[in-house]
Amino acid sequence: SFDKFTAALNATIVSDTLSSEPDGLTPRAEQLLEYAGEEAERFKSSTVGTEHLLIALVKQPDSSASRILAGM
């Protein structure tokens, strides 16, 4: 369910995305945004939307979000 997904994601998001990087993004988060941009281009979209972020997350099997989705 969506509630189960958000609870699991919230439990892991702090360790996966927060860093002491100057811009606040880890290299992994920056890579995810780059992949999401590529997905937007592939779908001929002028903006990166949540759908592109989700596709990029799912394509990274070692990400917490991908593991959570696979466990549902």
Side-chain angles (χ1 to χ4, degrees), residues 29-39 56:
E30 288 177 358
Q31 185 181 43
L32 174 68
L33 291 175
E34 183 178 323
Y35 290 160
E38 291 171 4
E39 290 301 323

Side-chain angles (χ1 to χ4, degrees), residues 7 9-10 12 18 20 25-26 33 36 48 54 57 61 64:
L9 187 58
N10 285 334
T12 60
L18 295 182
S20 59
L25 296 176
T26 63
L33 291 175
V48 175
L54 184 58
L57 278 171
S64 297

Side-chain angles (χ1 to χ4, degrees), residues 44-45 63:
K44 299 182 181 2
S45 177
S63 73

Side-chain angles (χ1 to χ4, degrees), residues 59-70:
K59 285 188 170 183
Q60 293 187 346
D62 60 332
S63 73
S64 297
S66 182
R67 287 191 304 270
I68 291 167
L69 288 170

Side-chain angles (χ1 to χ4, degrees), residues 2-5 7-8 11-12 15-16 19 26-28 32-33 35-38 42-43 53 56-57 59 61 66:
F2 182 73
D3 291 336
K4 182 179 175 183
F5 171 75
T12 60
S15 64
D16 273 2
S19 75
T26 63
R28 186 179 210 163
L32 174 68
L33 291 175
Y35 290 160
E38 291 171 4
R42 188 168 70 90
F43 285 100
L53 288 168
L57 278 171
K59 285 188 170 183
S66 182

Side-chain angles (χ1 to χ4, degrees), residues 36 40 45 47-55:
S45 177
T47 59
V48 175
T50 54
E51 65 276 21
H52 306 118
L53 288 168
L54 184 58
I55 292 168

